[in-house]
Amino acid sequence: MRDLVEVAHGVHVATSQVYTTTSTVVVGEDGTCLVVDPAVTAREVDGLAAVIRDRGWTPVAVWSTHAHWDHVLDGPGFSQLPRWSQGAAATDPETLAAERDADPELARTGEAPAPVAALRTPYPQQSPGVLDWPGPPVHVLTHQAHCRPHTALVLPDVGVLVAGDMLSDVEIPLLDLTAADPVGDYRAALDLLASVGADVVVPGHGRVGSADELSRRLVADRAYLAALVAGSPWDDDRLALPWAAAAHEAQRSALAP
Ligand SMILES: [Zn+2]
């Protein structure tokens, strides 16, 4: 885990060595904080908990943007907290732990993985889609792209979009190929995320981006989807890693006309 970097007032991001996975901490003026997607190795998650403790912040809950194994991780510093998400996860913790243990990128680190959180509960709502918690305003966007359901957090006071596994500079759009209309779901989600007009985007994997970079990623992801649907060849820096190229091939063969 590299340093925790403040990317906007009260929004701090740490980045894992595994899949450039980000963890975001949303901190209120009184130190109350929400921890989003703590990841990935046990050492990294423990390090994040230690930094939060050292800074005197008080975490009130952990948020999982979606129920893939790398977004539901836990550690002794967080396990006593409520684990909020959009509704109950479709996949049980044992299956997620097995997926984590089979992951080659995590295995390559040689480090102990963080445990998978046992319980996830629907988040408390002040009004529909607005988180009820003592920190700064958090609006929850829910969509069906990549994983069903998938959430993004909008922090309107500071113009930040915490996007989960969308809008990445290092990952192509990864579709939920079990859905009836994976591309339609993905396009609808991109439209929803674009409508926020955020100044800062925090992807679940990759680098934090400005408004211009967010626009660039929207264009790139829509173009990628168009090429998939058309069966056109696609070249993208994001296909450089073998696992990404394999994911692209799987999507191409599933969706080729
Ligand atoms: Zn995911």
Side-chain angles (χ1 to χ4, degrees):
M1 182 74 67
R2 294 183 212 131
D3 294 341
L4 199 54
V5 176
E6 187 168 27
V7 301
H9 182 67
V11 184
H12 302 256
V13 175
T15 305
S16 165
Q17 63 183 311
V18 185
Y19 295 118
T20 329
T21 305
T22 66
S23 303
T24 303
V25 187
V26 180
V27 188
E29 297 301 336
D30 65 352
T32 295
C33 71
L34 178 68
V35 183
V36 183
D37 292 351
V40 169
T41 68
R43 189 177 58 84
E44 289 173 333
V45 174
D46 291 350
L48 181 62
V51 171
I52 289 170
R53 196 171 50 241
D54 289 349
R55 294 192 183 186
W57 298 340
T58 308
V60 297
V62 177
W63 186 278
S64 288
T65 56
H66 62 293
H68 285 159
W69 72 262
D70 50 333
H71 298 266
V72 294
L73 295 168
D74 205 358
F78 300 125
S79 54
Q80 77 285 5
L81 300 173
R83 169 72 56 158
W84 292 335
S85 66
Q86 175 67 53
T91 312
D92 61 80
E94 292 73 24
T95 303
L96 292 168
E99 289 171 0
R100 174 201 62 190
D101 293 343
D103 189 89
E105 297 296 323
L106 175 57
R108 213 185 304 281
T109 67
E111 290 196 32
V116 168
L119 289 174
R120 293 181 289 281
T121 52
Y123 69 95
Q125 301 188 47
Q126 202 177 79
S127 56
V130 179
L131 181 62
D132 185 9
W133 80 304
V138 175
H139 296 182
V140 182
L141 302 181
T142 303
H143 58 77
Q144 308 297 319
H146 177 69
C147 179
R148 288 168 289 161
H150 188 302
T151 59
L153 302 182
V154 179
L155 312 175
D157 286 1
V158 286
V160 174
L161 170 64
V162 181
D165 282 4
M166 306 285 292
L167 299 170
S168 173
D169 61 327
V170 298
E171 291 188 345
I172 52 168
L174 296 172
L175 308 183
D176 180 354
L177 293 174
T178 65
D181 182 9
V183 173
D185 290 343
Y186 212 100
R187 284 176 166 151
L190 290 177
D191 290 348
L192 178 67
L193 299 179
S195 73
V196 171
D199 299 317
V200 176
V201 60
V202 183
H205 304 274
R207 283 174 283 268
V208 174
S210 62
D212 285 349
E213 174 63 12
L214 169 57
S215 300
R216 191 196 66 76
R217 294 181 194 180
L218 284 164
V219 169
D221 287 355
R222 286 175 173 137
Y224 174 80
L225 297 175
L228 262 190
V229 170
S232 311
W234 182 257
D235 193 20
D236 189 318
D237 289 346
R238 299 177 294 181
L239 297 179
L241 294 172
W243 71 263
H248 170 60
E249 276 312 310
Q251 294 186 154
R252 216 172 60 83
S253 56
L255 297 168

